[in-house]
Amino acid sequence: MGQIRHGSATTTHAVRAAIQRSQASIAALSEAFGINPKTVAKWRTRKTVEDQKTGPKAPRSTVSHPMNTSAKYGLQSQKNSSSTQAIKSRD
């Protein structure tokens, strides 16, 4: 049973572990596994064979700050009341 990889992965956990254990040169390993030398160098420096998380390191909140929300809706209500008054004054 093989390991499931994401679409752009070029190595498996087993290959990554072999890279980390090996004393061979980066060029020799890249040729042996058919991968880019930069990939070999990257896995040599990492302490684990797990993929790193993608996305922001410190995710920001998706909830607006109360001051931003009230200011935003306050302006909208002012615009709405102005347009409502303009329509009423035309009638």
Side-chain angles (χ1 to χ4, degrees):
M1 183 168 153
Q3 177 187 349
I4 298 173
R5 298 185 296 176
H6 60 83
S8 60
T10 57
T11 59
T12 62
H13 288 105
V15 170
R16 296 169 190 172
I19 290 169
Q20 290 174 349
R21 285 191 308 266
S22 178
Q23 297 297 317
S25 70
I26 290 174
L29 288 171
S30 68
E31 192 171 320
F33 292 116
I35 56 177
N36 192 310
K38 288 181 181 180
T39 304
V40 175
K42 173 180 73 175
W43 287 111
R44 275 247 172 114
T45 60
R46 292 201 183 164
K47 300 198 184 311
T48 179
V49 295
E50 298 298 322
D51 283 324
Q52 291 181 342
K53 290 186 177 184
T54 58
K57 300 285 185 218
R60 296 185 303 184
S61 174
T62 58
V63 179
S64 295
H65 188 272
M67 291 300 291
N68 293 344
T69 305
S70 62
K72 178 176 143 183
Y73 290 117
L75 290 174
Q76 284 182 350
S77 64
Q78 286 176 356
K79 287 180 185 177
N80 289 340
S81 64
S82 298
S83 61
T84 305
Q85 288 172 357
I87 292 170
K88 285 182 181 178
S89 64
R90 283 190 291 176
D91 292 337

